[in-house]
Amino acid sequence: MKFSVLALAGLGVAMLTTACSKEDRALAEERPAQPARVERQPVEPPLTATEVPVPGDLPAFVVTGPLGACPRMVFLHGMCGHGLGYVQAFTRTAREHGGVLGLQGDVPCGADRVFSKYSPDAEEQDGRIRSALAACGGEAEDLVIIGYSQGAYIAERLAERWPERYSRLVLLGAPTTPSAARLRDIRGAVMISGELDATYRMKEGASGLLAAKIPAVYREMPGAHHGALPDAERVMDEALDWLDENARPRL
């Protein structure tokens, strides 16, 4: 069978027209594509300690909690110390456990005012902590308070006066044996000493709290002298994990 060129051309046009018609119909019936829904993931602030201005006081050093939340822990350094270094030493653990605020001492130890200690007035230190937390949008309720040396002494007095506010403690190298009578209303405590420090104080403190039916445990830092905090991420993570698992329920 023979086809003329015109006939073949006509057949090709007809096929093309038919194909185009099918494509046109398919396109006409196609529903507009819905834009993809992209879930925006919250952005974590940098994992670092930042200086936060506190009206009428020295700045505080803050590692925020998850998604930038105001800290749920307070760190008090030792006599003539500086809070920033300790806070910087466990930033990952601090973030995971709700963030930490390092409060500077209010009494300078030298003319350069770099290092400091705390005045012993518990009401004054409580007011400073509440002001510092308010400066970053938080409040002082059901906190973990961490104190080293003089900071441990102050932390114990704060927990004695306001156990609902300073409800759980991590005390390191306290200059006096922590008292179960003072801490009878807290939810729990971890007592830590350096191996080369006066370990008996923190051991006796933990034993006294346990005898009074207060959740407590003693931990020791191998090879550590007074004031040292080696392997800070691990030490603090284990202490705070213990409190999470063993502290008395909040009333």
Side-chain angles (χ1 to χ4, degrees):
M1 184 179 296
K2 295 182 180 180
F3 294 94
S4 67
V5 174
L6 290 176
L8 288 170
L11 180 61
V13 170
M15 293 175 63
L16 182 61
T17 302
T18 303
C20 288
S21 298
K22 289 181 179 178
E23 290 181 0
D24 289 343
R25 286 198 299 272
L27 287 172
E29 294 171 359
E30 186 73 21
R31 294 181 179 179
Q34 294 294 321
R37 178 173 294 178
V38 179
E39 295 291 340
R40 292 196 174 190
Q41 297 298 322
V43 178
E44 285 280 12
L47 190 55
T48 185
T50 58
E51 189 174 287
V52 174
V54 180
D57 202 349
L58 296 167
F61 303 110
V62 170
V63 177
T64 57
L67 307 181
C70 195
R72 302 298 306 149
M73 300 185 290
V74 175
F75 191 101
L76 304 179
H77 60 75
M79 178 81 73
C80 295
H82 197 284
L84 178 59
Y86 287 111
V87 168
Q88 286 177 324
F90 65 103
T91 53
R92 176 187 55 78
T93 296
R95 171 69 55 82
E96 291 174 355
H97 288 273
V100 65
L101 181 145
L103 186 76
Q104 296 194 65
D106 53 328
V107 180
C109 288
D112 58 8
R113 308 181 72 87
V114 173
F115 299 101
S116 61
K117 58 186 177 181
Y118 300 98
S119 58
D121 188 327
E123 287 195 13
E124 183 172 354
Q125 299 308 329
D126 172 63
R128 296 182 67 227
I129 290 170
R130 288 188 287 112
S131 294
L133 288 170
C136 67
E139 60 181 354
E141 291 298 330
D142 195 35
L143 299 170
V144 174
I145 186 160
I146 307 165
Y148 206 144
S149 193
Q150 190 203 19
Y153 179 91
I154 299 295
E156 183 179 352
R157 273 69 188 169
L158 290 169
E160 177 185 16
R161 291 282 300 277
W162 301 280
E164 72 290 344
R165 182 171 299 155
Y166 307 103
S167 63
R168 290 150 294 157
L169 285 76
V170 178
L171 303 182
L172 302 97
T176 58
T177 300
S179 165
R182 286 195 183 93
L183 301 177
R184 61 186 177 275
D185 295 324
I186 65 168
R187 294 175 55 199
V190 179
M191 306 290 177
I192 302 175
S193 178
E195 179 188 11
L196 304 179
D197 199 356
T199 59
Y200 70 90
R201 292 193 189 108
M202 308 313 288
K203 288 179 179 178
E204 290 177 359
S207 296
L209 264 66
L210 286 170
K213 309 300 182 185
I214 303 165
V217 68
Y218 172 75
R219 293 286 184 263
E220 195 163 291
M221 298 181 289
H225 292 272
H226 184 76
L229 187 55
D231 201 7
E233 292 283 13
R234 178 190 62 80
V235 170
M236 296 308 302
D237 190 41
E238 289 179 358
L240 296 168
D241 279 347
W242 190 92
L243 282 177
D244 288 344
E245 295 167 6
N246 296 280
R248 293 189 285 207
R250 184 181 181 184
L251 297 178

